[in-house]
Amino acid sequence: MTTHPSLESLQGSYAWVDAIRKISYGPGCVTKALPQIMDLLGGKKALIVTGNSLRTKTDVVEKIENILKEHGAYGDTFSEIGEHAPVAGIHRGIEAFKKSGADIIVAVGGGSPIDAVKVIISYIQQQTGGTFVQQISIPTTLSAAEYTIGAGFTNEQGHKESTTVHSPELAPAGIILDAELTL
């Protein structure tokens, strides 16, 4: 005799994170979506946060820089985020944000830059006590970090921290899923 699970055991729910204001998708969409989301969020100047490999081995970061420059919204690019978001890179990212004069951060890459930006935002909020800086996430891999409210990172010894950051305000406010950037 075969038993089947009850229908209730197959049910579930998902609560959307209020911080996510817009998701844009489709090949080539970043050209229009990035300025639109910047406007939606009231962002005037962006710091791009990414990893060195994506910056030096592809033209993806340069494309994002050019879009922001065309709209007078480019602050700077910080490309020192390593694999698993080392805390040393996060601390340098905080300094880069402060020096850039940016009011929003654009994370470009996989889970490491996206999580690093969440930690940067969390630390900045803890330092200032003000509102959370908003993030626009442009993933180039399938990590799904752009949909979460938490982030992990590694400590100075290269070990994953047991204390992670998490808050609904850390979820990216805008997400751009442009398939051309993943090639």
Side-chain angles (χ1 to χ4, degrees), residues 2-3 9 22 25 35-36 44 74 81 86 98 139 146 162 172:
T2 304
T3 60
S9 69
K22 185 171 185 174
Y25 57 90
Q36 289 172 350
K44 303 293 181 222
Y74 177 73
I81 299 300
K98 291 175 181 176
E146 63 272 16
S162 58

Side-chain angles (χ1 to χ4, degrees), residues 7-177:
L7 290 180
E8 285 185 25
S9 69
L10 300 175
Q11 297 173 357
S13 66
Y14 176 78
W16 190 258
V17 178
D18 287 339
I20 299 174
R21 304 264 314 273
K22 185 171 185 174
I23 299 173
S24 297
Y25 57 90
C29 74
V30 70
T31 305
K32 290 183 182 177
L34 183 54
Q36 289 172 350
I37 294 174
M38 287 282 294
D39 287 345
L40 174 71
L41 302 178
K44 303 293 181 222
K45 188 187 280 189
L47 171 69
I48 298 170
V49 174
T50 190
N52 188 51
S53 292
L54 195 61
R55 169 104 192 219
T56 60
K57 296 180 181 178
T58 74
D59 65 348
V60 170
V61 176
E62 184 179 6
K63 284 181 184 180
I64 305 303
E65 289 172 339
N66 289 337
I67 293 166
L68 291 170
K69 287 175 182 176
E70 288 171 17
H71 291 85
Y74 177 73
D76 201 358
T77 298
F78 177 76
S79 59
E80 298 179 35
I81 299 300
E83 187 177 9
H84 305 299
V87 73
I90 289 167
H91 290 302
R92 288 191 303 273
I94 292 168
E95 293 308 311
F97 177 78
K98 291 175 181 176
K99 285 182 9 184
S100 73
D103 57 0
I104 199 162
I105 302 176
V106 177
V108 181
S112 293
I114 295 169
D115 274 1
V117 168
K118 292 176 194 174
V119 180
I120 289 168
I121 290 169
S122 178
Y123 285 3
I124 290 170
Q125 193 280 330
Q126 289 172 22
Q127 290 172 1
T128 64
T131 59
F132 287 83
V133 174
Q134 294 184 79
Q135 174 187 173
I136 298 172
S137 177
I138 305 175
T140 59
T141 65
L142 182 60
S143 76
E146 63 272 16
Y147 296 106
T148 66
I149 63 170
F153 57 96
T154 54
N155 61 23
E156 290 85 358
Q157 293 77 35
H159 302 292
K160 293 231 179 186
E161 271 299 318
S162 58
T163 307
T164 60
V165 298
H166 45 8
S167 172
E169 290 87 356
L170 296 178
I175 300 169
I176 301 172
L177 305 171

